[in-house]
Amino acid sequence: MMMMMMIKTTAIKIAHILQFFHQNFLLSLAALVSNWEAPACSASARSSSSDSFWSRSKTLSTLTRMMSTTSSTCACVCCSLRLPPATVEGPEPSGAGAAMSAGPEAGSPGAAAESAGVTNFLPAGGFKETAHPVTLAAMGCALLRRSAQSQRSHSWSRADLFQPVNLCYTHDTKTHLPAFLTITRTMHLLQVLWVFCWFAPLRGFGHEFRFASYYGDHMVLQRAPERAVLWGYGTDAAKVTITVLGNQQNTSHTVTVEEQIWRVTLDPVQPGGPYVVSAVQQSAEGVQVHNLTDVLFGDVWLCGGQSNMQMGLSQVINASEELAMALKFPNVRVFTAADEHSREELTDLMKIELPWSVPSAGVLDGGNFSHFSAVCWLFGRYLYESQKHPVGLVESCWGGTPVEAWSSERALQKCGLAKPKHSFQNAGASWDNTVLWNAMIHPLLNMTIKGAIWYQGEQNTEYHQDLYNCTFPAMIDDWRMAFHQGSGGQTSPVFPFGFVQLSTYKKTSLSDAFPNLRWHQTADYGFAPNPRMKNTFMAVSLDLGDEASPWGSIHPRYKQDVAHRLTLGARAVAYGEKGVSFQGPFPQAIRLQGKYINITYSEEVSVTKSNTTFEVCCSSSQRDPCNASSAWDPAPIVETSSNVVVLSTDGCSDEVAALRYAWRDWPCGFKACPVYSADHVLPAAPFIVKRAP
């Protein structure tokens, strides 16, 4: 027993040493990994992996013996590990399509390995540099630790570690592996690593006490009346005490670590700060302390979607002015989750692109379609100006992605999409259902949030367009339920959800794809909130087309207008401000009187006469309902009053069967649609209505 304790104590000390090497060498290793070529192993050898942590063939001891006795002219050692997704932090894909890449290109060696469920660990084609001897062991340790932390839903036994390693060995005297693969020190390190993995608790190694990935210095926690949730990792049965130190009376909560997880729900804290959040673990191994400094309490908003949400502040109109203003808003804090995908629901984020930060031009200018989102930042900044308390912004978005990737299987089942698996192909990337929900939303569920904003839909104009009136509202409902449950009831089950109605794409297009999607974004009501999408708000953006955008017309640069319109909705819906106009005009009544149509709007309107933006479908047949293939004739505006628009139907030779407004991909010029609110700030949303039988 004494010998066992000594071995375990030694293993713990080795863990700290390996962790040091891991922190210092893993980045250089990732660069090397990107240059490794495909293993020269047979496909059958690579595909023989089982569901155990290590795949079958020779044992690790056999591997180390073979490596230690092999001369420096040995050429190829291939070790295949079956690991959870994305256990190695490799470099991001390069090239124009990098932002949309969801994995290895079809037919590539990486794709073959991924399809076989393995990750290439040791090189077969040689290295371009020689690494430090301890790096191999550090990498193995890092792989184990990251896989255990990011896939806590998996239950692996220590016996799994003794499953054999899949090894294929090829002799090629033309290739010379670096010395660290053959020298004795490396063999000893591998053997030490083996002992360490046996005696240390596998799941997170059990002794790493820390906060979950998305807690950090400078963060914003949700203010009262909601209660913020904190959680992290620790040693089983240890006591963890969380104390909030700051302007108000200090408060502490003590919990017990269970299954290497601790979790605390704080008392309500009024907006303000800064605070220090102190976490202390007391276990048989001693006392460990982690502090979060410069923590504010305010409102936390999640920002999701695809590339128009991902567009950075440096890409908008007047970018230099916007970036220069960042330092004036130190109480608006920003955080970005890295683009990752997973086939399983993850407990924690795989990787962070931008940790919690105080804004500056450098922080917000992370590059094109990188941190930090212009819409998200401007929304938070405008919100801070109106609410006067801290705002925390959490960006989790990825360009070129459909709503199905951001939805849980539970949500998709409501729209008949969960089984069998559906996959969306775009620019060489393949998006399976749920993969971004799993990796970029599910890990955040324990966080208490105020609300969310969303800018997405372009990709669904060509993928399940006709189902978006189901999938989008179902995703909102599911996020609300999941965040409410994940936060222990602290996040509202009907938290406010704002979204941007699609802007424009092709100026001369006659396709109904964008108009249809805009309509489906509202669950076919045309406005928000509505009976299907309660407690939502919408920013109409069809009048913000930008044909000259360097990023393509699908990426208009006028994000200030988008964020302003979203902020109006948040003030009215999320904060209950009275008298804030946020919806824009929408028809309240439509009456056909002879050759005229009278439209009464919900508010006073500012109207510019147009001959083409309103259209009518003329048909007397009940068996021929008006649709995209029907003939639609212009209905010119002939008269207006405070909230009434009168249209002429002289061009209709039959009965008027349907009426629509702004039903084009690009229906009007920049801020030049026919109907706006009286102050000309909010455009009227597009609509389509059919005559009752």
Side-chain angles (χ1 to χ4, degrees):
M1 179 62 70
M2 183 63 68
M3 178 62 69
M4 294 289 287
M5 291 300 295
M6 290 177 62
I7 293 175
K8 184 170 183 178
T9 302
T10 303
I12 293 170
K13 293 180 179 179
I14 292 171
H16 291 99
I17 296 172
L18 290 178
Q19 184 178 15
F20 169 80
F21 282 114
H22 162 237
Q23 292 171 345
N24 286 275
F25 290 110
L26 192 56
L27 289 177
S28 60
L29 271 174
L32 289 175
V33 170
S34 67
N35 293 318
W36 290 352
E37 299 179 6
C41 308
S42 67
S44 61
R46 282 204 307 269
S47 63
S48 64
S49 59
S50 68
D51 289 335
S52 61
F53 189 79
W54 303 94
S55 51
R56 292 190 181 92
S57 189
K58 298 180 181 294
T59 63
L60 183 60
S61 58
T62 304
L63 170 62
T64 57
R65 287 197 304 272
M66 178 176 284
M67 293 173 67
S68 62
T69 57
T70 303
S71 69
S72 60
T73 59
C74 75
C76 172
V77 178
C78 163
C79 176
S80 297
L81 305 181
R82 180 172 180 82
L83 295 174
T87 52
V88 181
E89 294 184 5
E92 296 295 329
S94 60
M100 305 178 74
S101 174
E105 293 183 4
S108 69
E114 185 175 80
S115 65
V118 299
T119 300
N120 297 326
F121 183 57
L122 296 182
F127 293 82
K128 294 186 178 178
E129 300 179 31
T130 300
H132 192 283
V134 79
T135 306
L136 182 61
M139 186 174 182
C141 181
L143 284 169
L144 290 173
R145 181 163 65 254
R146 281 189 58 79
S147 63
Q149 289 171 356
S150 63
Q151 296 288 346
R152 291 184 176 272
S153 60
H154 290 266
S155 297
W156 295 319
S157 67
R158 294 175 182 170
D160 290 331
L161 294 175
F162 284 94
Q163 295 296 320
V165 174
N166 182 356
L167 170 71
C168 65
Y169 175 72
T170 305
H171 186 77
D172 181 2
T173 56
K174 295 181 181 180
T175 307
H176 299 278
L177 290 180
F180 80 85
L181 285 180
T182 59
I183 61 178
T184 305
R185 282 184 299 165
T186 302
M187 304 309 104
H188 292 164
L189 285 169
L190 284 171
Q191 291 163 353
V192 168
L193 176 63
W194 186 254
V195 173
F196 171 53
C197 292
W198 165 251
F199 287 104
L202 175 61
R203 298 183 64 179
F205 288 143
H207 298 282
E208 185 178 8
F209 171 58
R210 63 181 179 87
F211 286 92
S213 65
Y214 48 84
Y215 296 100
D217 297 340
H218 315 300
M219 78 175 303
V220 176
L221 293 171
Q222 183 58 40
R223 67 178 176 99
E226 292 82 19
R227 303 167 65 190
V229 176
L230 296 169
W231 71 277
Y233 307 100
T235 302
D236 273 347
K239 298 293 184 182
V240 173
T241 300
I242 303 296
T243 305
V244 178
L245 307 167
N247 300 331
Q248 301 177 4
Q249 182 178 355
N250 300 337
T251 58
S252 296
H253 296 268
T254 300
V255 295
T256 301
V257 180
E258 298 180 2
E259 296 185 351
Q260 280 107 47
I261 296 290
W262 57 266
R263 173 184 170 122
V264 168
T265 302
L266 301 178
D267 294 335
V269 178
Q270 295 302 315
Y275 293 89
V276 173
V277 178
S278 177
V280 179
Q281 175 179 270
Q282 293 179 304
S283 67
E285 297 171 4
V287 177
Q288 294 172 280
V289 179
H290 280 296
N291 291 333
L292 304 180
T293 61
D294 189 32
V295 174
L296 303 180
F297 282 81
D299 284 334
V300 180
W301 284 83
L302 174 63
C303 305
Q306 55 180 105
S307 55
N308 267 306
M309 180 63 83
Q310 203 169 26
M311 275 184 73
L313 195 61
S314 62
Q315 296 175 268
V316 306
I317 291 291
N318 299 326
S320 297
E321 295 177 19
E322 296 293 352
L323 288 167
M325 293 181 65
L327 290 175
K328 297 180 180 180
F329 298 92
N331 288 336
V332 181
R333 307 292 176 82
V334 295
F335 172 93
T336 303
D339 291 347
E340 298 287 351
H341 57 97
S342 172
R343 297 186 186 279
E344 304 290 338
E345 290 183 339
L346 304 185
T347 302
D348 203 352
L349 293 174
M350 290 183 183
K351 194 165 56 174
I352 294 168
E353 180 178 326
L354 177 69
W356 281 103
S357 303
V358 179
S360 67
V363 165
L364 298 181
D365 185 7
N368 296 338
F369 299 100
S370 183
H371 67 80
F372 188 74
S373 162
V375 170
C376 189
W377 163 253
L378 293 166
F379 171 79
R381 196 186 88 189
Y382 299 157
L383 209 56
Y384 175 78
E385 290 177 324
S386 69
Q387 303 304 309
K388 307 301 182 186
H389 58 242
V391 177
L393 302 171
V394 178
E395 177 187 346
S396 185
C397 52
W398 196 333
T401 53
V403 72
E404 291 80 2
W406 296 98
S407 303
S408 72
E409 184 173 338
R410 176 178 56 240
L412 293 176
Q413 283 177 343
K414 297 179 180 178
C415 304
L417 285 178
K419 293 181 180 179
K421 286 282 187 181
H422 294 259
S423 181
F424 172 70
Q425 304 290 329
N426 175 49
S430 175
W431 297 104
D432 290 334
N433 292 350
T434 77
V435 293
L436 301 182
W437 156 265
N438 292 339
M440 299 179 68
I441 299 299
H442 189 271
L444 303 174
L445 296 183
N446 291 340
M447 181 185 294
T448 307
I449 64 173
K450 175 66 175 181
I453 58 173
W454 177 258
Y455 197 159
Q456 188 275 338
E458 296 89 346
Q459 220 58 62
N460 284 98
T461 60
E462 53 189 63
Y463 180 64
H464 292 154
Q465 175 198 127
D466 58 332
L467 290 177
Y468 202 84
N469 56 1
C470 177
T471 51
F472 182 43
M475 188 203 77
I476 296 173
D477 291 345
D478 189 69
W479 280 26
R480 286 170 165 171
M481 180 274 293
F483 272 95
H484 179 66
Q485 292 183 354
S487 64
Q490 296 308 309
T491 298
S492 169
V494 289
F495 66 75
F497 193 104
F499 62 96
V500 182
Q501 193 177 48
L502 290 188
S503 186
T504 56
Y505 182 25
K506 297 179 180 178
K507 198 164 190 176
T508 59
S509 173
L510 298 178
S511 168
D512 276 0
F514 268 61
N516 287 342
L517 205 287
R518 292 184 189 118
W519 186 245
H520 292 334
Q521 284 181 291
T522 67
D524 299 350
Y525 281 89
F527 57 90
N530 58 57
R532 175 63 185 88
M533 302 169 67
K534 298 178 180 178
N535 216 36
T536 61
F537 52 96
M538 176 177 72
V540 178
S541 68
L542 81 174
D543 66 330
L544 301 177
D546 185 6
E547 198 172 14
S549 172
W551 328 111
S553 58
I554 201 169
H555 297 123
R557 293 167 289 173
Y558 304 103
K559 302 307 186 192
Q560 294 92 334
D561 295 285
V562 170
H564 175 64
R565 294 171 185 180
L566 281 171
T567 305
L568 292 176
R571 289 172 57 190
V573 174
Y575 296 97
E577 290 187 34
K578 303 299 182 183
V580 176
S581 176
F582 71 98
Q583 290 178 297
F586 199 79
Q588 206 169 38
I590 299 175
R591 294 181 178 87
L592 180 62
Q593 296 177 333
K595 288 291 185 178
Y596 298 97
I597 298 176
N598 284 11
I599 305 174
T600 302
Y601 279 92
S602 55
E603 59 184 82
E604 291 188 4
V605 292
S606 171
V607 180
T608 302
K609 288 188 177 181
S610 168
N611 292 328
T612 58
T613 313
F614 286 97
E615 298 173 296
V616 292
C617 174
C618 307
S619 174
S620 59
S621 172
Q622 295 296 326
R623 284 185 270 178
D624 183 24
C626 295
N627 52 45
S629 60
S630 302
W632 290 84
D633 300 317
I637 299 173
V638 294
E639 187 178 337
T640 66
S641 60
S642 62
N643 67 332
V644 175
V645 173
V646 181
L647 310 176
S648 170
T649 62
D650 279 344
C652 189
S653 59
D654 210 331
E655 296 182 19
V656 174
L659 170 70
R660 67 187 189 183
Y661 170 73
W663 208 263
R664 286 283 187 273
D665 181 323
W666 203 303
C668 53
F670 179 71
K671 293 187 178 180
C673 284
V675 184
Y676 282 84
S677 57
D679 57 6
H680 207 83
V681 171
L682 298 174
F687 69 84
I688 185 169
V689 60
K690 296 180 181 180
R691 187 184 64 195

